[in-house]
Amino acid sequence: MAWVVLFLAGLFEIGWAVGLKYSEGFTRLWPSVATAVALLASMGLLGVSLRTLPLGTAYAVWTGIGTVGTAGLGIVLFREPATTLRVFCITLIVVGIVGLKLATARLEH
């Protein structure tokens, strides 16, 4: 269950990171409110997941999900470049997230 909570926290991290762009430096009210709500939800869910998951693993996975999702949405929504090197590096982050999940599962048994 902690992994599901952590995954949701990562999704909310993507939400607040993208929300920062839409808030235009917190000059637009509703995108700013949505960004703040997503930030609070992300931090709150991360905190809940830390009740059972190791700190280093949970934090790395949380930021990894946020990084991959935000970079992906940057490519799709904001027409940021999707160069081969950039996609390769994003893939490396995904591999790292999966590796941490697998390594932590071995520690739990």
Side-chain angles (χ1 to χ4, degrees):
M1 186 63 168
W3 286 104
V4 172
V5 171
L6 181 60
F7 181 74
L8 290 172
L11 293 179
F12 277 107
E13 184 184 5
I14 297 166
W16 69 256
V18 173
L20 285 173
K21 181 77 170 171
Y22 282 114
S23 76
E24 297 178 8
F26 296 107
T27 60
R28 297 179 62 216
L29 177 62
W30 293 115
S32 298
V33 170
T35 299
V37 169
L39 177 60
L40 290 171
S42 181
M43 291 287 184
L45 291 168
L46 174 63
V48 170
S49 75
L50 289 174
R51 293 178 186 161
T52 55
L53 295 176
L55 171 64
T57 299
Y59 185 74
V61 170
W62 177 67
T63 58
I65 292 168
T67 300
V68 169
T70 302
L73 287 177
I75 291 167
V76 172
L77 298 176
F78 305 111
R79 301 187 195 281
E80 295 175 1
T83 64
T84 302
L85 180 59
R86 191 166 187 209
V87 172
F88 175 73
C89 291
I90 291 169
T91 303
L92 289 175
I93 295 169
V94 172
V95 170
I97 292 168
V98 171
L100 286 169
K101 167 65 171 105
L102 294 173
T104 302
R106 289 190 179 126
L107 292 173
E108 292 171 345
H109 289 98

